[in-house]
Amino acid sequence: MEDVPSGRSRRAPGPRPVGEGELRPRHRIVHGYRRAYRLAGQGPALVLIHGIGDSSATWAELIPDLARTHTVLAPDLLGHGASDRPRADYSVAAYANGVRDLLTALGIESATLVGHSLGGGVAMQFAYQFPERTERLILVSAGGVGREVNPVLRAASLPGAHLMLSALRLPGMRLNLGLFARLMRLLDTDLGQDAAELLTLVDALPDATSRSAFIRTLRSVVDWRGQAVTMLDRCYLTEGMPTLLIWGDRDGVVPVRHAHRAHEAMPGSRLEIFEGAGHFPFHTDPARFLALVEEFTSATPPAEWSREHWRALLRTGRPGTPRNRAPDRDVREASERSAT
């Protein structure tokens, strides 16, 4: 298996078709753990980060088109997909470190990050920890903007969640879940918009090790009151970072009002709402999603990080917040601990 040359961060002279072999998952050992990923194409690097319980397979239908003009890297986060599931740190900060280490091992110095749901929080955390390696941010139905989250996820963070998830594997439960999902869709509920995808997430937890990794990941970002980490307190640091927010207006997992809240908190960001879409807008309307990503990455120059600018932003703090004053109530209520 060949590494990606560092020079591949430059734009390719023109599009090219993607071979079938490029779309198959690959593996690399990092820190003694097997990390699965998909790698295809050539040109500026584009990293696709999936959500909780999901895997790089969620991007599989989009990768061939994106890889015509980009080097596309779609990892399976630790504890997900075909990657190892150790008893380890599954926080967003640890995931950001893991993405950095995989990029480094593959010879990719900087990239545009596309993050969905939990992956959006990981992308934001990556930009916070490694701004010099972040060219752009594309956040899709991202977590970490407010406390609200679907009650099912809050319940799955409670003690006894292992038993609840194990019960989903009992004979007949898959059929009952399918009937429930169909009912939610027939009733035209927001959660029903993502019925097929949510059932796929259940299927991705076939054994105790998978369920344990899922719960450890979930509890790092959600508790019984809702989301327990926030990016609102440091969104101002994205000033000068091209940022695109994409959301479905019928998102039953992370409500669309979080999109408007993030847009307001991130200077210069762009917001695109997919009408009628749920938590997976890139599945609902892949053509529009692909067009937006291509247009955004080609029309915006990559961010240029400087230590002086970063220091000035930190010293000034969030707009509207006097220096040396504690965060306002909205930020404190959004989260009691930040992903540092």
Side-chain angles (χ1 to χ4, degrees), residues 25 34 66 70 93 103 135 283:
R34 188 177 74 157
L66 293 173
H70 294 84
L103 286 173
E135 297 181 356
H283 288 174

Side-chain angles (χ1 to χ4, degrees), residues 190-223:
D190 288 349
L191 195 61
Q193 305 303 310
D194 301 308
E197 286 85 354
L198 296 176
L199 284 176
T200 299
L201 300 188
V202 173
D203 294 337
L205 304 174
D207 52 50
T209 302
S210 299
R211 293 190 288 271
S212 178
F214 173 84
I215 291 172
R216 289 175 70 88
T217 304
L218 181 66
R219 287 175 177 169
S220 74
V221 291
V222 171
D223 61 21

Side-chain angles (χ1 to χ4, degrees), residues 4 14 25-26 38 43 48 55 58 70 75 79 88 103 105 114 134-135 139 165 174 196-197 240 249 256 289 319 331:
V4 180
R26 311 184 191 190
R38 300 168 195 258
L48 310 178
S55 72
T58 197
H70 294 84
L103 286 173
V114 182
T134 310
E135 297 181 356
L139 306 179
L165 292 178
R174 182 61 171 79
E197 286 85 354
D249 70 345
V256 68
F289 182 84
V331 172

Side-chain angles (χ1 to χ4, degrees), residues 16 25 33 40 53 61 75 106 136 174-175 185 214 261 298 307 312:
R16 69 174 185 84
Y33 301 123
E61 298 300 317
L106 295 175
R136 300 172 193 83
R174 182 61 171 79
L175 175 62
R185 193 163 185 83
F214 173 84
R261 190 179 301 171
S298 62
R307 190 179 303 275

Side-chain angles (χ1 to χ4, degrees), residues 87-112:
R87 187 174 182 273
D89 182 1
Y90 289 116
S91 66
V92 290
Y95 279 134
N97 289 337
V99 172
R100 175 205 57 188
D101 293 343
L102 182 59
L103 286 173
T104 301
L106 295 175
I108 300 175
E109 293 302 318
S110 62
T112 294

Side-chain angles (χ1 to χ4, degrees), residues 5 15 21 28 61 63 72 103 232 260 327 330:
R28 179 171 291 274
E61 298 300 317
I63 290 175
V72 180
L103 286 173
L232 288 178
H260 297 282
D330 288 342

Side-chain angles (χ1 to χ4, degrees), residues 119-158:
V122 174
M124 266 295 296
Q125 184 68 19
F126 185 97
Y128 169 62
Q129 292 179 197
F130 316 112
E132 72 282 1
R133 303 189 68 167
T134 310
E135 297 181 356
R136 300 172 193 83
L137 281 173
I138 300 177
L139 306 179
V140 187
S141 304
V145 181
R147 177 174 292 180
E148 302 101 323
V149 72
N150 189 274
V152 174
L153 291 178
R154 300 206 323 248
S157 71
L158 296 173

